Coordinates of all heavy atoms in Angstrom, one line a residue:
Y159 N 16.7 51.3 103.9 CA 16.9 52.3 105.0 C 15.7 52.3 105.9 O 15.8 52.3 107.1 CB 17.1 53.6 104.4 CG 17.1 54.8 105.4 CD1 18.2 55.0 106.2 CD2 16.0 55.5 105.6 CE1 18.2 56.0 107.1 CE2 15.9 56.5 106.5 CZ 17.0 56.8 107.3 OH 17.0 57.8 108.2
F160 N 14.5 52.2 105.3 CA 13.3 52.2 106.1 C 13.2 51.0 107.1 O 13.0 51.2 108.3 CB 12.1 52.2 105.2 CG 10.7 52.1 105.8 CD1 10.2 53.1 106.6 CD2 10.0 50.9 105.7 CE1 9.0 53.0 107.2 CE2 8.8 50.8 106.4 CZ 8.3 51.8 107.1
L161 N 13.4 49.8 106.6 CA 13.3 48.6 107.4 C 14.5 48.6 108.4 O 14.3 48.2 109.5 CB 13.3 47.4 106.5 CG 12.0 47.3 105.6 CD1 12.1 46.1 104.7 CD2 10.8 47.2 106.5
H162 N 15.7 48.9 107.9 CA 16.9 48.9 108.8 C 16.7 49.8 110.0 O 17.1 49.5 111.1 CB 18.1 49.2 108.0 CG 19.4 49.2 108.8 ND1 20.0 48.0 109.3 CD2 20.2 50.2 109.3 CE1 21.1 48.3 110.0 NE2 21.2 49.7 110.0
S163 N 16.2 51.0 109.7 CA 16.0 52.0 110.7 C 15.0 51.6 111.7 O 15.2 51.8 113.0 CB 15.6 53.4 110.1 OG 16.6 53.9 109.2
L164 N 13.9 51.0 111.3 CA 12.9 50.5 112.2 C 13.4 49.4 113.1 O 13.2 49.3 114.3 CB 11.7 50.0 111.4 CG 10.8 51.1 110.8 CD1 9.7 50.4 109.9 CD2 10.1 51.9 111.9
L165 N 14.2 48.5 112.5 CA 14.8 47.4 113.3 C 15.8 47.9 114.3 O 15.9 47.4 115.4 CB 15.5 46.4 112.3 CG 14.6 45.5 111.5 CD1 15.4 44.7 110.5 CD2 13.7 44.7 112.3
S166 N 16.5 49.0 114.0 CA 17.4 49.6 114.9 C 16.6 50.2 116.1 O 17.0 50.1 117.3 CB 18.2 50.7 114.3 OG 19.0 50.2 113.2
V167 N 15.4 50.8 115.8 CA 14.6 51.3 116.9 C 14.1 50.1 117.8 O 14.1 50.2 119.0 CB 13.4 52.1 116.3 CG1 12.4 52.5 117.4 CG2 13.9 53.4 115.6
Y168 N 13.6 49.1 117.1 CA 13.1 47.9 117.9 C 14.2 47.2 118.7 O 13.8 46.5 119.7 CB 12.4 47.0 117.0 CG 11.1 47.5 116.4 CD1 10.8 47.5 115.1 CD2 10.1 48.0 117.3 CE1 9.6 48.0 114.6 CE2 8.9 48.5 116.8 CZ 8.7 48.5 115.5 OH 7.5 49.0 115.0
N169 N 15.4 47.3 118.3 CA 16.5 46.7 119.0 C 17.1 47.6 120.1 O 18.1 47.2 120.7 CB 17.6 46.3 118.0 CG 17.2 45.1 117.2 OD1 16.4 44.2 117.6 ND2 17.7 45.0 115.9
S170 N 16.6 48.8 120.2 CA 17.1 49.8 121.2 C 16.7 49.4 122.6 O 15.8 48.6 122.8 CB 16.6 51.2 120.9 OG 15.2 51.2 121.0

Side-chain angles (χ1 to χ4, degrees):
Y159 172 78
F160 174 70
L161 297 175
H162 178 73
S163 299
L164 285 175
L165 290 175
S166 298
V167 172
Y168 287 128
N169 290 327
S170 64

